[in-house]
C-alpha cells in the first residue's frame, strides 16, 4: 500500500498544472471593479482619504463643491435627521445612509435609501419623509454644514465612527430590531447598529 501511495504521489507531482489565463482574470477583475462606485473601490483598497477631526471649526474650513441629486438627498436627510447633533453625530448618520447604499438589503442610491417607504405614513425608513409634516429648511447655516458633510462623505471622508452600522435610533425609543441587531456605537442621542449577516438556507 505504501508503495502504491508513493507512486500515486510521484505521478501527481509530475502532472502539468495549467497556467491561469491572465487576460481572462484581468477582464473579470476589471468588470467587477467597474460595476462598483468609485468610493467603494477606494475603501476596498484602503486608499487614504481626508483626515477628519469632527469639529465645527474644522468643518467651517473645508472647501467642498456640493451638487447633484444624490448629494441633495444626503444633505436633506442630515438636516432633518441630525442637524441638532454634534458634527461627529452628523457624520455618523451619513455613514449609516451610505452603508445602506453599499448593502444588498437596501436601494443602491442615496435617494433610494432616504426615500425608501416614503408615502406610507410611519412605514418609511427616515421619519421626516412620512410624518405628514411639510419639511422646510429654515436654518440655512445648518443646511450648509450638512451639505459640506454630505459632500465630504460622498467623496473622501472615511467611515470610521459606526463600524458598518446600517441602523440607528434615538435613545428616546426602543425598536424591536434593536434587541437582536448588534450595537456598534453610541454617539450623542443616537444608538447605532449593524444588521446581522443573513446566512444562506442551503
Amino acid at each position: 500500500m505504501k508503495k502504491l501511495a508513493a507512486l500515486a504521489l510521484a505521478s501527481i507531482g509530475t502532472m502539468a498544472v495549467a497556467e491561469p489565463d491572465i487576460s481572462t482574470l484581468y477582464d473579470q477583475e476589471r468588470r467587477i471593479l467597474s460595476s462598483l462606485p468609485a468610493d467603494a473601490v477606494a475603501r476596498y483598497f484602503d486608499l487614504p482619504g481626508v483626515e477628519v477631526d469632527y469639529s465645527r471649526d474644522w468643518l467651517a474650513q473645508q472647501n467642498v463643491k456640493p451638487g447633484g441629486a444624490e448629494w441633495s438627498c444626503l444633505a436633506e436627510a442630515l438636516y432633518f435627521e441630525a442637524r441638532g447633533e454634534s458634527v461627529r453625530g452628523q457624520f455618523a448618520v451619513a455613514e449609516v445612509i451610505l452603508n445602506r447604499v453599499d448593502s444588498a438589503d437596501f436601494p443602491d442610491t442615496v435617494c433610494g435609501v432616504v426615500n425608501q417607504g416614503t408615502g406610507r405614513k410611519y412605514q418609511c425608513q427616515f421619519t421626516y419623509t412620512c410624518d405628514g409634516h411639510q419639511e422646510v429648511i429654515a436654518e440655512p447655516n445648518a443646511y450648509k454644514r450638512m451639505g459640506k458633510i454630505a459632500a465630504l462623505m460622498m467623496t473622501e471622508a472615511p467611515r470610521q465612527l459606526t463600524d458598518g452600522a446600517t441602523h440607528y435610533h434615538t435613545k428616546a425609543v426602543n425598536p424591536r430590531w434593536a434587541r437582536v441587531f448588534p450595537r456598534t456605537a453610541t454617539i450623542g442621542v443616537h444608538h447605532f447598529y449593524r444588521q446581522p449577516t443573513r446566512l444562506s438556507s442551503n
Side-chain angles (χ1 to χ4, degrees), residues 8 19 22 103 155 166 172:
E19 289 289 326
I22 299 300
S103 170
T155 53
T166 51

Side-chain angles (χ1 to χ4, degrees), residues 91-101 162 165-168 192:
F91 270 92
V93 170
E95 283 189 23
V96 168
I97 293 170
L98 294 176
N99 287 340
R100 286 190 174 199
V101 173
T162 66
T166 51
H167 292 70
Y168 66 91
F192 294 85

Side-chain angles (χ1 to χ4, degrees), residues 9-140:
L9 287 171
S11 298
I12 291 171
T14 59
M15 287 174 63
V17 178
E19 289 289 326
D21 185 344
I22 299 300
S23 63
T24 300
L25 292 175
Y26 174 77
D27 287 343
Q28 290 173 345
E29 183 180 71
R30 183 178 48 77
R31 192 165 52 251
I32 292 168
L33 290 176
S34 66
S35 71
L36 298 171
D39 60 331
V41 174
R43 284 195 304 282
Y44 294 144
F45 287 104
D46 199 25
L47 296 178
V50 66
E51 190 171 327
V52 183
D53 75 3
Y54 305 110
S55 70
R56 280 200 178 193
D57 289 342
W58 176 87
L59 189 60
Q61 295 169 11
Q62 301 311 300
N63 184 19
V64 292
K65 294 182 179 178
E70 295 290 275
W71 166 83
S72 181
C73 286
L74 184 54
E76 179 185 280
L78 294 176
Y79 178 85
F80 289 115
E81 290 282 311
R83 73 181 181 276
E85 280 284 281
S86 66
V87 172
R88 182 179 293 271
Q90 292 157 356
F91 270 92
V93 170
E95 283 189 23
V96 168
I97 293 170
L98 294 176
N99 287 340
R100 286 190 174 199
V101 173
D102 289 347
S103 170
D105 294 320
F106 297 94
D108 60 2
T109 66
V110 173
C111 293
V113 164
V114 169
N115 294 304
Q116 187 176 14
T118 299
R120 295 175 293 154
K121 194 166 185 180
Y122 301 118
Q123 296 298 310
C124 52
Q125 297 294 307
F126 296 91
T127 306
Y128 83 92
T129 68
C130 65
D131 60 6
H133 301 299
Q134 183 178 3
E135 304 302 340
V136 178
I137 296 174
E139 300 174 44

Side-chain angles (χ1 to χ4, degrees), residues 2 25 49 61 174 195:
K2 287 183 180 179
L25 292 175
Q61 295 169 11
N174 186 27
Q195 185 165 296

